[in-house]
Amino acid sequence: DLGDLPTALNYYQNALDILTEEGGDISLRGSILSQIGDLLNTLRLYEQAIPYVEEVIMADSVSKDSVNLMYDTELLGSIHLHVKNYDSAELLFNKSKEFAKRTALADTTRHNLYLAAIKYYKGQIDSALNLIRPTMLNIDSISRNTALAYACHIYRQASIPDTALMYAYELLHSKNPHNRKTGYQILLSDELKDYIPSDSIVRYACDYKDIVESYLNQNGNQAALIQNSFYNYQLHQREKIKAEAANKRLFNWLGGFLLAILILSIYVLYLKNKNKSQLVELHEAINIVNTLQRELHIS
């Protein structure tokens, strides 16, 4: 929450290691895995995030946690969307949407938004339009700017300039700066720039330039953060591998030691039994000698 994502990632992974060593309950493990997956997704370490989210989805299935199953499946769909695995993302969003129909019907609007985005990226504009139209009527304020950005692209690609312009202007005047860059990009695109008053184009172009420069600066900072996070992630993984290797060696030594004790115990038991058998034979021999002596005295 303080924005120190690399340190947060390190704490989450340490918590997971401790829980793994102690055995821990499946619900807590699922929470930690979900946090790690979401954090890696935020840091754009998408390939590293996938196995964590896949594991938490399995845990959700075992515990029959329908709500978390919906959110974690949606998270995995988002990650596949980021890495352009559109078919996998579409399958996951449809699964998450089915869970939402049973547990949180309002969330299906968000799923339709991402499904519309996938259709747009796959070039299926008619399908994207069918999904984005009802989405724009029902989307919540938190996701609205993301929805506006996708709607701008979809309506522009569908050659419906008036709606694309309407949503682009809404992005420009939104109190939330998220995706404002997309609004300027749409207004100044080849398909729509002729619909803009000529005296406004220069002002929009200057504003767009300022936003792009700010975005590039933020992106540079984010890139440095991601690089640092990835280094910390790799460092943690190397330390984890070393610890696992050391534990394996210790286990092998302990196993060898126990095996040696077992063999030695078996050998001692063998000698003890052999000695006992010899004592029995010796007593029998003494008895025979005593018997022979008595017979000799009698005769």
Side-chain angles (χ1 to χ4, degrees):
D1 291 338
L2 292 170
D4 187 359
L5 305 187
T7 304
L9 179 60
N10 186 49
Y11 278 125
Y12 280 131
Q13 289 176 323
N14 287 340
L16 185 62
D17 290 343
I18 293 168
L19 191 68
T20 300
E21 291 169 4
E22 294 180 349
D25 66 85
I26 191 169
S27 176
L28 180 57
R29 181 178 177 81
S31 296
I32 297 171
L33 288 168
S34 182
Q35 292 285 355
I36 292 175
D38 189 38
L39 184 54
L40 289 170
N41 177 49
T42 302
L43 290 168
R44 303 180 192 175
L45 302 175
Y46 303 123
E47 297 295 339
Q48 289 76 24
I50 289 174
Y52 286 101
V53 184
E54 286 178 339
E55 186 176 346
V56 76
I57 287 173
M58 287 190 289
D60 292 338
S61 300
V62 171
S63 61
K64 295 181 172 56
D65 187 342
S66 300
V67 174
N68 280 329
L69 190 56
M70 178 198 71
Y71 285 120
D72 291 324
T73 303
E74 180 182 335
L75 173 59
L76 187 58
S78 300
I79 294 169
H80 279 283
L81 178 60
H82 290 314
V83 295
K84 302 181 180 180
N85 292 335
Y86 297 130
D87 290 338
S88 297
E90 185 173 4
L91 179 65
L92 288 161
F93 281 123
N94 277 319
K95 280 186 179 179
S96 185
K97 183 178 174 181
E98 289 303 312
F99 293 133
K101 287 178 181 178
R102 299 196 294 268
T103 59
L105 191 60
D107 287 325
T108 58
T109 301
R110 190 174 61 256
H111 297 125
N112 284 334
L113 167 61
Y114 289 117
L115 288 168
I118 290 168
K119 295 297 184 184
Y120 166 74
Y121 288 126
K122 293 172 79 172
Q124 300 170 6
I125 303 303
D126 289 341
S127 298
L129 274 172
N130 290 335
L131 287 162
I132 202 67
R133 282 186 176 121
T135 295
M136 297 310 297
L137 297 174
N138 300 304
I139 197 70
D140 58 52
S141 58
I142 296 173
S143 303
R144 183 161 183 81
N145 275 30
T146 300
L148 286 168
Y150 281 124
C152 285
H153 286 297
I154 292 168
Y155 280 102
R156 176 178 63 88
Q157 196 68 27
S159 299
I160 307 176
D162 54 343
T163 308
L165 285 170
M166 179 181 71
Y167 288 138
Y169 281 124
E170 186 177 343
L171 271 177
L172 258 60
H173 297 99
S174 172
K175 293 180 181 179
N176 181 356
H178 182 58
N179 280 322
R180 189 171 292 166
K181 177 172 63 72
T182 300
Y184 285 109
Q185 181 185 350
I186 294 296
L187 289 176
L188 297 172
S189 65
D190 290 337
E191 297 93 336
L192 300 181
K193 65 184 180 182
D194 292 337
Y195 294 88
I196 308 299
S198 56
D199 58 342
S200 299
I201 289 181
V202 175
R203 177 165 56 86
Y204 287 149
C206 291
D207 291 343
Y208 184 44
K209 171 180 169 291
D210 292 339
I211 284 181
V212 169
E213 287 180 351
S214 175
Y215 174 79
L216 290 175
N217 289 334
Q218 289 176 359
N219 223 31
N221 295 335
Q222 183 74 0
L225 174 64
I226 291 170
Q227 186 176 13
N228 183 47
S229 302
F230 189 52
Y231 172 78
N232 288 342
Y233 175 83
Q234 289 180 316
L235 183 64
H236 179 85
Q237 291 298 96
R238 287 196 296 269
E239 292 300 321
K240 184 177 179 181
I241 290 170
K242 286 181 182 177
E244 288 175 348
N247 288 338
K248 187 176 181 181
R249 285 195 300 271
L250 179 62
F251 179 79
N252 289 338
W253 277 104
L254 183 61
F257 181 68
L258 292 174
L259 181 61
I261 290 176
L262 179 62
I263 292 171
L264 185 60
S265 299
I266 292 172
Y267 183 65
V268 169
L269 287 172
Y270 167 74
L271 290 178
K272 187 176 180 181
N273 288 333
K274 185 177 179 182
N275 187 47
K276 187 176 180 180
S277 298
Q278 288 176 339
L279 285 174
V280 171
E281 289 176 359
L282 181 59
H283 283 297
E284 289 177 351
I286 292 171
N287 288 335
I288 292 170
V289 169
N290 290 334
T291 303
L292 289 172
Q293 284 179 341
R294 285 195 300 270
E295 288 179 352
L296 286 172
H297 282 300
I298 293 171
S299 39

